Structure formats: C-alpha cells, structure tokens
C-alpha cells in the first residue's frame, strides 16, 4: 500500500475519533461543563462550542477541504485544553488514584494534538 493510501486511511480514522469526541460533547454536555475552567463564564456553552469545533474539524478531514487550517486549529484547541483543563486537574488531584483520569486525558489530548500537527504538516 502506498503512502497516499495509508495517509488517507489514517486521516479517516482520525476524523472518526475526533468526530466521536465532538458528539460526546453534545451527549454528555451537562456533565462535561464541570471541566470548563472557572475563569470562563458560560459553562456548558463552551462544551457545545468546542463540540461543534471538533465536529467541523472531523468533517473537514473527511471531505478533504481546509484540512491544514482545521488541523492547525485543532492542534491549538487541544493544547489549550491540555494546559487549562487537564494539567491543572493533574496538579490539583489529591492523590495518585484521583490523578489517573486527568493524566490519561492529558496524554490522550497531547497525542491527538501531535497527530493533528502531523496532518497539518502533510498538507503544506
């Protein structure tokens, strides 16, 4: 299988994962609003807004339109979430058991940001 085919398959898988997370923002929005940093007013609005952004990025990847822009914006978004949501949760966890879930999310979103950056780089 050539690199172009592998890249397309990988992009489709990645888009499906990102789309899944976007849908989760709508399905579990009220539960996710507690993760919105306290310095941001609006609570659940941000969950739905970011869910919309995730879905739009997934669609851009699937229809192969504005992929570089969508991937760069997704990278920025994911790194902001790592720094403003997951890292504070890791640092403020009372013990190692409470630290497991936010640390997993920090690593997951860092990996997803890296993949988005790779996708953007392939579209230069």
């Amino acid at each position: 299988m050539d690199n172009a085919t592998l890249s397309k398959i990988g992009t489709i898988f990645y888009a499906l994962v990102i789309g899944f997370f976007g849908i989760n923002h709508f399905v579990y929005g009220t539960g996710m609003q507690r993760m919105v940093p306290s310095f941001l007013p609006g609570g659940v609005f941000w969950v739905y807004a970011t869910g919309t952004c995730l879905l739009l990025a997934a669609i851009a990847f699937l229809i192969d339109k504005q992929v570089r822009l969508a991937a760069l914006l997704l990278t920025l978004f994911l790194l902001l979430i790592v720094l403003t949501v997951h890292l504070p949760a890791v640092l403020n966890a009372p013990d190692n058991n409470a630290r497991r879930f936010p640390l997993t999310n920090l690593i997951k979103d860092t990996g997803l940001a890296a993949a988005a950056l790779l996708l953007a780089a392939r579209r230069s």
Side-chain angles (χ1 to χ4, degrees):
M1 206 176 299
D2 66 357
N3 285 342
T5 303
L6 290 173
S7 181
K8 186 63 176 169
I9 292 169
T11 299
I12 291 169
F13 282 163
Y14 187 69
L16 293 174
V17 169
I18 296 300
F20 172 80
F21 287 124
I23 290 168
N24 275 352
H25 278 68
F26 289 95
V27 174
Y28 303 109
T30 54
M32 293 176 77
Q33 71 179 337
R34 64 181 170 73
M35 293 173 44
V36 175
S38 59
F39 62 83
L40 282 177
V44 75
F45 164 79
W46 292 108
V47 176
Y48 296 139
T50 56
T52 301
C53 292
L54 289 167
L55 287 172
L56 290 172
I59 291 167
F61 301 154
L62 288 172
I63 66 171
D64 201 26
K65 300 289 182 197
Q66 298 294 322
V67 172
R68 182 175 170 84
L69 176 62
L72 289 171
L73 291 173
L74 181 59
T75 301
L76 177 63
F77 163 70
L78 289 167
L79 291 178
L80 285 172
I81 294 301
V82 164
L83 295 173
T84 62
V85 175
H86 302 318
L87 184 59
V90 168
L91 296 175
N92 295 322
D95 57 44
N96 282 338
N97 192 41
R99 193 171 291 115
R100 283 191 342 229
F101 182 67
L103 183 59
T104 298
N105 281 331
L106 184 146
I107 293 166
K108 170 192 60 89
D109 283 348
T110 301
L112 290 172
L117 200 56
L118 287 168
L119 185 55
R122 290 186 165 265
R123 296 305 182 111
S124 57

